[in-house]
């Protein structure tokens, strides 16, 4: 098979459709989240095989607290399990795991688990996996704005000196390239408050496939779709000048 080129350096995924996947089989939504965590393991494997250095996944949004308490609890229990079971495997595969989002909202054991996972994998460099938990794009921007205001207040920065790089540098995901490709499964065509700043020029790929069904072939379909895109960044690209 033809190699896919160019490949994105950073892929972001809104992993949506777990609940509907379960409901279609007459099972509880938690069954879908369980299957969704398996789909994530497969996706990480495929992204590693394609030598893509950055993957950012939306696991729990700042609005997902609006779900019934039992579902939130099931999701958090699932994270806790993943933190103990999957981290070892990710570490062995050279994956560096980072969490983005407001982790203060989580229980002490969960926060400790996240910190341990980050420390354990900090030296790995095959793939950086950013897991967005209690993440919201607006909250990310608000937090960055507050931090810049504090720098101004301390006299370290003047308001007229603030540039895009200052704001970008205060976001949860500072210092890594912005996503080239965003995949959203589950059929909805919206961002749902994911990386609002960083997605400004990202190519968007929407698919009806529900997240638990997302396979290596679906990853490749998205990568091929990306390879066909012409990115212009507001310029003229390959278009002939008149
Ligand atoms: C995505 O699947 C997982 C999370 C948001 C945590 P959903 O749970 O949103 O599944 P649907 O969209 O209801 O099918
Ligand atoms: C987005 O999915 C968040 C995650 C996948 C974690 P949602 O299911 O929460 O999004 P909406 O509610 O359909 O916009
Ligand atoms: Mg959903």
């Amino acid at each position: 098979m033809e190699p896919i080129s160019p490949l994105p350096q950073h892929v972001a995924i809104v992993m949506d459709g777990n609940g509907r996947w379960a409901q279609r089989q007459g099972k509880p939504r938690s069954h879908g989240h369980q299957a969704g965590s398996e789909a994530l393991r497969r996706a990480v494997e495929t992204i590693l095989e394609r030598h893509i250095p950055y993957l950012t996944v939306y696991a729990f949004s700042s609005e997902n607290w609006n779900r019934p308490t039992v579902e939130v609890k099931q999701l958090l229990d699932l994270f806790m399990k993943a933190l103990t079971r999957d981290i070892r495997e990710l570490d062995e595969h050279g994956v560096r795991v980072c969490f983005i989002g407001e982790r203060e909202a989580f229980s002490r054991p969960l926060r400790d688990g996240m910190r341990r996972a980050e420390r354990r994998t900090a030296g790995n460099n095959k793939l950086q996996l950013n897991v967005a938990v209690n993440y919201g794009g607006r909250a990310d921007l608000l937090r960055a704005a507050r931090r810049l205001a504090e720098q101004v207040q301390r006299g370290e920065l003047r308001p007229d000196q603030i540039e895009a790089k200052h704001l970008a540098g205060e976001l949860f995901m500072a210092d890594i390239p912005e996503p080239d490709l965003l995949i959203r499964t589950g059929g909805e065509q919206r961002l749902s408050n994911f990386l609002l700043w960083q997605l400004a020029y990202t190519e968007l790929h929407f698919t009806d496939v529900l997240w638990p069904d997302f396979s290596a072939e679906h990853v490749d379909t998205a990568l091929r779709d990306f390879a066909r895109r012409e990115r212009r960044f507001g310029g003229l690209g390959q278009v002939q000048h008149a």
Side-chain angles (χ1 to χ4, degrees):
M1 201 171 51
E2 284 267 302
I4 305 169
S5 167
L7 280 173
Q9 291 301 292
H10 185 173
V11 174
I13 309 182
V14 180
M15 309 182 289
D16 196 23
N18 294 350
R20 280 164 285 165
W21 184 87
Q23 272 158 356
R24 278 180 200 177
Q25 306 179 30
K27 299 254 174 66
R29 292 177 59 85
S30 59
H31 184 69
H33 295 314
Q34 176 64 48
S37 71
E38 298 302 326
L40 175 57
R41 293 175 67 175
R42 288 199 304 269
V44 169
E45 228 171 85
T46 311
I47 293 290
L48 269 170
E49 282 168 11
R50 304 292 174 271
H51 303 290
I52 292 169
Y54 299 98
L55 173 65
T56 301
V57 297
Y58 207 5
F60 190 88
S61 80
S62 48
E63 287 75 37
N64 285 147
W65 297 106
N66 295 330
R67 297 188 178 198
T69 323
V70 276
E71 179 165 349
V72 171
K73 187 176 178 307
Q74 284 161 348
L75 279 166
L76 299 184
D77 287 348
L78 202 58
F79 293 155
M80 200 62 219
K81 273 206 206 107
L83 279 173
T84 39
R85 188 197 57 183
D86 295 337
I87 288 298
R88 188 193 158 141
E89 195 180 313
L90 289 166
D91 191 27
E92 281 164 4
H93 285 88
V95 179
R96 176 180 182 185
V97 181
C98 301
F99 294 93
I100 61 169
E102 312 262 1
R103 54 180 90 181
E104 293 72 25
F106 296 122
S107 68
R108 165 69 55 196
L110 200 52
R111 269 164 23 221
D112 287 348
M114 286 157 73
R115 208 187 48 223
R116 269 201 306 276
E118 286 178 331
R119 285 209 186 131
R120 173 172 179 164
T121 62
N124 295 342
N125 57 11
K126 282 224 173 62
L127 167 68
Q128 179 169 330
L129 170 65
N130 303 303
V131 184
V133 283
N134 192 21
Y135 178 87
R138 286 182 174 175
D140 197 359
L141 285 165
L142 280 171
R143 184 171 158 274
R146 277 189 212 110
R147 288 178 166 217
L148 289 180
E150 282 161 13
Q151 289 174 32
V152 170
Q153 199 173 36
R154 289 197 298 267
E156 296 163 9
L157 195 66
R158 284 198 323 269
D160 60 291
Q161 287 174 320
I162 299 176
E163 293 176 21
K165 66 172 186 213
H166 294 107
L167 198 140
E170 297 298 339
L171 296 172
F172 280 116
M173 220 165 55
D175 305 324
I176 73 166
E178 291 167 359
D180 302 295
L181 169 66
L182 172 88
I183 301 170
R184 180 167 184 150
T185 63
E188 312 292 356
Q189 304 197 352
R190 55 178 171 250
L191 298 180
S192 300
N193 200 16
F194 201 25
L195 311 160
L196 297 179
W197 173 275
Q198 296 94 333
L199 296 178
Y201 269 105
T202 303
E203 298 295 328
L204 310 177
H205 176 90
F206 297 106
T207 168
D208 288 337
V209 174
L210 301 173
W211 178 248
D213 288 330
F214 202 71
S215 66
E217 288 88 281
H218 296 121
V219 173
D220 284 343
T221 301
L223 295 177
R224 269 190 223 101
D225 183 19
F226 173 81
R228 282 193 299 267
R229 304 282 179 95
E230 190 199 353
R231 305 185 77 187
R232 290 192 288 276
F233 300 99
L236 294 180
Q238 301 302 312
V239 175
Q240 293 298 310
H241 290 245

